[in-house]
Amino acid sequence: MRPHRFASLLLLASGCWPLALSAQPPVRSGPMLGHTTHRTAVLWVQTMAPAEVAVAYRPVEQDTTGATRPATGGRATVRTGEDHVARLVLSHLEPGTRYAYDLLIDGVEAERPYPLEFTTQPLWQHRADPPAFTVAVGSCYYANEPVYDRPGRPYGGDPAIFARIAALNPDVMLWLGDNVYLREVDWWSPEGIAHRYGHARAEPALQPLLATAAHYATWDDHDYGPNDSDRSYILKDAALETFQRYWANPSYGVGGVPGVFTQFQWGDADFFLLDDRYHRAPNRAPDSARTVLGEGQLRWLLDALTYSRAPFKVVVLGGQVINPVPVFETYAAIAPAERERLIAEITAREIEGVLFLSGDRHHTELLRLERPGAYPLYDFTSSPLTSGASNYPTREDSPERDNPLRVPGTLVTERHNFGTLTFEGPRNARTLTLRTYDATGALLWEHRIAEAELELPDED
């Protein structure tokens, strides 16, 4: 975790932040840091009108690997495109180096009331132990827009939760799906989808977090289309194009298989973000036809996991994978045969270090599936950020009330929350600590997993 540099987040609590944002009319939202590697970084910005967007950047500290070579700055300039979005790729950077930058709109500096800085990934391989780093996670972000919201009590909660996440200064922010809630007025036009993405992204309380961490995302039904939507959604290609426009992931699909799924590496962990909508069969399809991932994506995932040598292989899906209870849209309810195949292949291929992350459920919990002769599989569900929070797992009539896979003390219901994953320790003895915080930033629970706990047992 990097040193904290965001005292200006106090503006959120005081109510001064919206006024500070309104003083910069050319910028609607951002800048947001996207995919970041050893020598490149992507910056995303949305303006209020067509404009030329430029970034002038410069190093502000020595290469953390101890190298003495100088790091140089530079400038990147692009014209905004559809939705007045600009994506700037900064290249020829140096590893492990912190860069400050200035954002210019049509040649005029657009000041933001927080530092504009980013840090490239350090070059630790073959040189040192892996770095310690923290990944923040969350799902189910509903941004109120009363004229189009459901009547009655607002469904979206206090967006100040984003200040609590930013205050922890994570290296990465990983969005687990339902990052936008499309409404009835949005579902049936590309313009409606784009409006909803832009409205949610422009939330003033979100802006410091966009600049604090490198953001990566997958989706679930609400940021893809209508509730419980599947591959039959007629505007799924428009939804995919909008997702690509608003998220700066390293890639979208692979090998002729479209979708939002991708992979990235941070430190010594590999992250596999999956698409549970674009190829998904209808929930009421015949059992023999049910799929969540589709054959092409599933094959890619299994091959990518097999190739990976990372001690932690974090697989991200919009809905729960491990949960054995067939309720709502758990994998067990939608495509039980495909779920069993995925778990069986992980076992048969002797893939070590797999951990699942999921959202969707409007409650948080950690599930643990024991496997005879193999290590346990975990599924960390983190939800919701601001949307309605559920009490379903605690109800008397809930089949999940006594879920046998739930790790005791990890169930969080009826409150907004977010999570973190902290990776630390020396090579070959790494630890992963999972934590959940409430909307005030108070720690609710933590669970530590040693690298060795996700390894196959030695043969006698």
Side-chain angles (χ1 to χ4, degrees):
M1 190 180 298
R2 294 165 288 147
H4 184 265
R5 304 187 303 277
F6 292 92
S8 61
L9 292 173
L10 294 175
L11 291 169
L12 293 171
S14 69
C16 295
W17 163 251
L19 296 178
L21 183 69
S22 64
Q24 298 297 331
V27 179
R28 185 183 186 193
S29 56
M32 179 185 74
L33 180 64
H35 181 47
T36 302
T37 69
H38 297 91
R39 302 203 64 203
T40 63
V42 180
L43 290 172
W44 178 99
V45 180
Q46 186 177 33
T47 59
M48 298 295 292
E52 181 181 85
V53 179
V55 167
Y57 55 96
R58 58 206 174 275
V60 295
E61 65 182 16
Q62 182 63 45
D63 187 326
T64 57
T65 64
T68 58
R69 62 184 182 276
T72 58
R75 182 184 176 100
T77 304
V78 299
R79 296 292 304 180
T80 55
E82 194 168 355
D83 291 347
H84 312 317
V85 166
R87 183 180 303 204
L88 300 99
V89 179
L90 312 186
S91 58
H92 305 294
L93 307 175
E94 292 299 333
T97 301
R98 185 158 58 98
Y99 288 85
Y101 65 94
D102 299 317
L103 176 66
L104 298 98
I105 308 298
D106 288 333
V108 178
E109 183 175 352
E111 296 183 358
R112 313 303 277 164
Y114 46 82
L116 295 183
E117 297 179 348
F118 65 89
T119 302
T120 52
Q121 293 200 45
L123 183 59
W124 59 271
Q125 292 89 341
H126 308 292
R127 293 163 174 81
D129 284 328
F133 63 96
T134 293
V135 177
V137 299
S139 70
C140 303
Y141 162 39
Y142 189 101
N144 293 324
E145 189 178 17
V147 66
Y148 300 126
D149 292 347
R150 61 188 70 177
R153 181 180 178 182
Y155 190 63
D158 189 350
I161 191 172
F162 296 122
R164 313 305 176 208
I165 301 174
L168 295 179
N169 204 29
D171 298 274
V172 174
M173 175 66 192
L174 185 51
W175 297 78
L176 306 179
D178 291 339
N179 314 313
V180 168
Y181 272 71
L182 300 176
R183 321 283 211 265
E184 292 84 353
V185 296
D186 307 323
W187 292 338
W188 304 115
S189 72
E191 294 79 10
I193 298 171
H195 168 79
R196 188 57 50 205
Y197 270 71
H199 174 264
R201 183 64 58 82
E203 164 58 49
L206 177 60
Q207 304 311 304
L209 177 59
L210 295 179
T212 301
H215 292 256
Y216 297 85
T218 187
W219 62 14
D220 196 36
D221 53 343
H222 293 296
D223 41 352
Y224 168 77
N227 186 48
D228 295 351
S229 45
D230 53 53
R231 66 191 181 197
S232 69
Y233 177 44
I234 195 66
L235 290 181
K236 68 178 186 178
D237 287 327
L240 177 57
E241 291 170 2
T242 306
F243 183 98
Q244 292 172 319
R245 193 156 62 248
Y246 279 84
W247 293 109
N249 282 356
S251 62
Y252 311 87
V254 68
V257 183
V260 302
F261 62 98
T262 189
Q263 176 186 352
F264 71 94
Q265 184 177 85
W266 202 278
D268 60 338
D270 282 345
F271 295 82
F272 306 85
L273 279 59
L274 303 182
D275 185 332
D276 67 348
R277 294 293 158 181
Y278 195 93
H279 301 279
R280 181 195 197 97
N283 291 351
R284 291 182 290 178
D287 290 348
S288 60
R290 291 191 178 191
T291 180
V292 169
L293 302 180
E295 184 61 31
Q297 183 180 187
L298 179 58
R299 182 172 60 250
W300 167 81
L301 172 64
L302 291 170
D303 287 347
L305 287 172
T306 303
Y307 175 82
S308 172
R309 294 297 179 266
F312 294 102
K313 304 172 182 65
V314 184
V315 180
V316 183
L317 192 68
Q320 289 183 315
V321 177
I322 295 304
N323 194 344
V325 185
V327 294
F328 301 108
E329 289 197 299
T330 62
Y331 218 145
I334 305 306
E338 186 174 88
R339 172 185 177 274
E340 290 302 318
R341 177 186 170 191
L342 172 59
I343 295 172
E345 286 282 358
I346 291 172
T347 302
R349 297 185 184 212
E350 299 184 335
I351 302 170
E352 297 184 318
V354 174
L355 168 84
F356 292 95
L357 291 180
S358 57
D360 173 61
R361 294 300 313 279
H362 298 257
H363 71 262
T364 286
E365 64 186 345
L366 179 64
L367 303 178
R368 173 184 169 122
L369 174 66
E370 298 292 346
R371 296 183 297 156
Y375 63 90
L377 290 175
Y378 286 91
D379 192 341
F380 179 17
T381 301
S382 183
S383 174
L385 287 167
T386 67
S387 67
S390 172
N391 68 350
Y392 180 77
T394 63
R395 285 169 32 183
E396 291 289 344
D397 61 343
S398 173
E400 293 184 289
R401 183 177 174 86
D402 298 309
N403 192 322
L405 302 191
R406 185 179 298 129
V407 175
T410 65
L411 178 63
V412 178
T413 62
E414 299 185 87
R415 67 172 77 182
H416 298 127
N417 66 94
F418 65 94
T420 61
L421 292 75
T422 297
F423 302 79
E424 57 193 342
R427 186 196 310 267
N428 299 323
R430 299 281 277 175
T431 61
L432 167 59
T433 303
L434 310 176
R435 295 183 174 93
T436 290
Y437 299 84
D438 70 12
T440 72
L443 179 65
L444 300 180
W445 61 262
E446 65 179 26
H447 186 88
R448 179 177 175 274
I449 303 172
E451 175 183 345
E453 294 180 51
L454 301 185
E455 295 176 343
L456 295 170
D458 294 331
E459 295 183 1
D460 295 330

